[in-house]
Amino acid sequence: TWFMSRGDISGVNDLTEIKNSGIYKLNDVTFNLSYKYGSLIVLNSGIQVIQFSLAFHSNVLHIRTNWNNEKWTNWQTVSLT
């Protein structure tokens, strides 16, 4: 299975290195998101990495991408209402 639960990310202050496809649980993460707890979904095609993040009990999705190991885009938000 290439897409699976990857467990907790705890005490991390930089999500830029999280590039393996899967679902991660954010647990006291201090990166540049407005929340510390939630979920991170990562899709990696080999040339593009997409990170989706959602805080617990939230309806706002955060998305960013990285092409070819270049600089990450800024987090963009999508309201799920």
Side-chain angles (χ1 to χ4, degrees):
T1 28
W2 67 271
F3 193 79
M4 57 194 240
S5 176
R6 298 286 184 169
D8 284 11
I9 299 174
S10 299
V12 172
N13 60 8
D14 188 355
L15 298 177
T16 60
E17 297 304 315
I18 309 296
K19 296 180 181 177
N20 289 327
S21 293
I23 300 172
Y24 300 81
K25 182 174 139 186
L26 301 178
N27 188 7
D28 196 25
V29 173
T30 58
F31 193 58
N32 63 351
L33 295 169
S34 60
Y35 49 89
K36 294 183 176 189
Y37 302 94
S39 297
L40 179 71
I41 299 170
V42 179
L43 303 174
N44 187 334
S45 70
I47 193 166
Q48 181 185 30
V49 180
I50 305 169
Q51 290 182 336
F52 301 90
S53 184
L54 185 65
F56 287 137
H57 307 294
S58 175
N59 61 353
V60 177
L61 182 68
H62 293 83
I63 304 169
R64 71 178 184 165
T65 61
N66 178 295
W67 282 93
N68 210 21
N69 282 323
E70 299 290 328
K71 183 179 175 185
W72 282 93
T73 62
N74 292 328
W75 287 101
Q76 302 297 314
T77 59
V78 176
S79 177
L80 302 176
T81 57

